[in-house]
């Protein structure tokens, strides 16, 4: 059974850093395309970042240069390092696995971890 | 980046009604369009992928169509459990983007 469990969220001051983790089970993170998607309170879904099985990484413009997606294959875990955090980064952050192959849709989501950026 | 625009932002319809949600892409995305349903307090779930393919386990009253820049999600006969927010997402670009969502309420 596929499971995605996010952790690492919390209250952080503007300008601070936080690292989110997504521990996966039931599949191998390194063999799949993995996304971070966020949702600000009461707002819609916003795609944040993706890492492909081949290692390529991409970021949405609002987080480019501040956030870094990575994975630890030995721990089967996905990370999101978030630096220079802003109030507008406040959101529930979901880890999400795309289906394998060439269909490119998200088939599994975690439950999310809440990041609150506030002074 | 590819911008996705949904309409309407919200709608209210009666059980049994046919409901259509539209999603427009700012450039040609061929058929790389997915639809997700999100209920309060839950993570989203995929309904339709690649414009018109129904995800396993999703009721057949949901269907999708379109190509290029214009897409639709149709619920053929609305049920109370369909009350949710629906999002389109393009997967043509490596920079994935979602529409702003359409809230569907049952009268």
């Amino acid at each position: 059974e596929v499971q995605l469990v996010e952790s690492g969220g919390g209250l952080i001051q503007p300008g601070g850093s936080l690292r989110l983790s997504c521990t996966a089970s039931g599949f191998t993170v390194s063999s799949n395309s993995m996304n971070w998607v966020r949702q600000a309170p009461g707002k819609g879904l916003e795609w944040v970042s993706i890492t492909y099985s081949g290692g390529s990484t991409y970021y949405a413009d609002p987080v480019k240069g501040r956030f870094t997606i990575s994975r630890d294959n030995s721990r089967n875990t996905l990370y999101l390092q978030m630096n220079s955090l802003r109030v507008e980064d406040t959101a529930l952050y979901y880890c999400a696995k795309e289906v394998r192959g060439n269909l490119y849709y998200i088939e599994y989501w975690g439950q999310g971890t809440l990041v609150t950026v506030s002074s | 980046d590819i911008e996705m625009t949904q309409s309407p932002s919200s709608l209210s319809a009666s059980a049994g009604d046919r409901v259509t949600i539209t999603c427009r892409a700012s450039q040609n995305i061929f058929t790389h369009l997915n639809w997700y349903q999100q209920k309060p307090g839950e993570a989203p779930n995929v309904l339709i992928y690649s414009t018109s393919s129904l995800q396993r386990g999703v009721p057949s009253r949901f269907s999708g169509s379109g190509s290029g820049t214009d897409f639709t999600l149709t619920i053929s006969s609305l049920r109370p459990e369909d009350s949710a927010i629906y999002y389109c997402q393009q997967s043509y670009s490596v920079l994935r983007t979602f529409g702003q969502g359409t809230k569907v309420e049952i009268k």
Side-chain angles (χ1 to χ4, degrees):
Chain A
E1 180 192 5
V2 170
Q3 279 197 315
L4 297 167
V5 179
E6 302 95 333
S7 60
L11 176 62
I12 188 78
Q13 291 190 337
S17 297
L18 212 54
R19 188 179 79 161
L20 306 184
S21 300
C22 171
T23 302
S25 58
F27 72 100
T28 303
V29 165
S30 62
S31 299
N32 288 268
S33 299
M34 299 294 297
N35 294 260
W36 286 99
V37 176
R38 68 184 180 183
Q39 188 167 35
K43 302 297 184 183
L45 301 173
E46 181 183 21
W47 177 80
V48 173
S49 181
I50 189 170
T51 180
Y52 288 94
S53 57
S56 299
T57 60
Y58 298 90
Y59 301 91
D61 284 346
V63 308
K64 196 170 184 180
R66 300 187 298 124
F67 289 12
T68 302
I69 191 171
S70 64
R71 58 194 186 206
D72 183 333
N73 297 341
S74 66
R75 297 177 184 270
N76 208 33
T77 298
L78 180 74
Y79 299 103
L80 186 67
Q81 177 67 44
M82 304 186 296
N83 298 331
S84 304
L85 281 161
R86 304 168 180 168
V87 170
E88 55 266 34
D89 294 319
T90 294
L92 184 66
Y93 283 74
Y94 291 104
C95 165
K97 172 192 176 302
E98 286 195 353
V99 66
R100 291 195 71 178
N102 59 356
L103 295 176
Y104 312 122
Y105 66 91
I106 294 172
E107 61 171 347
Y108 292 104
W109 301 72
Q111 84 289 349
T113 186
L114 183 62
V115 173
T116 303
V117 184
S118 174
S119 54
Chain B
D1 295 6
I2 300 174
E3 186 174 342
M4 306 301 292
T5 304
Q6 288 182 234
S7 61
S9 296
S10 65
L11 66 90
S12 181
S14 300
D17 285 353
R18 182 181 184 88
V19 167
T20 298
I21 299 169
T22 296
C23 179
R24 175 163 288 176
S26 60
Q27 66 181 73
N28 187 354
I29 59 169
F30 299 89
T31 58
H32 296 282
L33 192 283
N34 310 309
W35 290 98
Y36 300 87
Q37 177 193 64
Q38 187 179 33
K39 296 184 177 181
E42 298 182 5
N45 284 303
V46 65
L47 297 174
I48 303 281
Y49 60 91
S50 299
T51 297
S52 59
S53 295
L54 194 67
Q55 175 70 344
R56 271 192 315 271
V58 174
S60 58
R61 63 181 180 273
F62 291 93
S63 64
S65 64
S67 69
T69 60
D70 294 313
F71 302 86
T72 59
L73 172 69
T74 299
I75 309 174
S76 61
S77 181
L78 194 66
R79 295 177 63 97
E81 59 264 35
D82 300 334
S83 178
I85 300 177
Y86 294 83
Y87 296 93
C88 63
Q89 180 215 26
Q90 65 81 17
S91 54
Y92 172 74
S93 168
V94 293
L95 305 180
R96 311 284 198 242
T97 43
F98 289 91
Q100 82 278 15
T102 295
K103 186 174 185 178
V104 174
E105 293 179 324
I106 312 298
K107 283 181 186 175

